[in-house]
Amino acid sequence: MTTEAAPPPGSAGPSVASSTAEEFVSVQQSPEFAELRRAHRSFAFPLTVAFIAWYLLYVLLSNYAGGFMGTKLFGNINVALALGLAQFATTFLIAWLYARHAAAQLDPKAEAIKKRMEAGA
């Protein structure tokens, strides 16, 4: 699907959309793109595995360690509720860490690749 819309105001240089498939393949095979993928994977994969393990631990504890999960911490707050809320906190923490990582590590590399493609180099 193609569109005939004009580029957004303020954009300069040729559009990446005018690049050929060969140019995209060549960029994909470049060392810069490999470094971008490595930077993404080295952050995303370990955190994904850690979070899934943490979630499965919570599920397994809920199913097989009812006595432990029912232990009251204070008032009506028990271990299950505290760990369940920690799941939400962990999700937001990971999202915040990824946003920081992307801004510091991924975005500059992706921008350099984009500029190189737009320049036709």
Side-chain angles (χ1 to χ4, degrees):
M1 175 165 117
T2 61
T3 98
E4 299 300 321
S11 66
S15 150
V16 174
S18 67
S19 298
T20 66
E22 291 80 22
E23 290 170 323
F24 281 105
V25 169
S26 117
V27 167
Q28 183 181 11
Q29 294 171 345
S30 71
E32 295 87 5
F33 190 78
E35 173 59 27
L36 175 63
R37 285 183 20 204
R38 187 207 59 77
H40 170 70
R41 288 178 178 171
S42 68
F43 183 88
F45 287 175
L47 270 181
T48 300
V49 169
F51 184 78
I52 289 172
W54 158 229
Y55 175 74
L56 290 176
L57 174 67
Y58 176 72
V59 170
L60 290 172
L61 286 173
S62 295
N63 283 323
Y64 300 110
F68 170 69
M69 295 295 270
T71 304
K72 291 199 182 237
L73 298 175
F74 53 90
N76 287 330
I77 307 298
N78 61 17
V79 172
L81 180 62
L83 292 179
L85 292 174
Q87 290 284 320
F88 287 102
T90 304
T91 301
F92 289 114
L93 175 66
I94 290 172
W96 176 73
L97 288 172
Y98 181 76
R100 284 187 48 196
H101 172 73
Q105 301 291 322
L106 305 179
D107 292 348
K109 291 174 179 150
E111 188 64 29
I113 292 170
K114 178 183 168 200
K115 283 184 181 178
R116 193 180 85 213
M117 278 195 78
E118 288 175 344

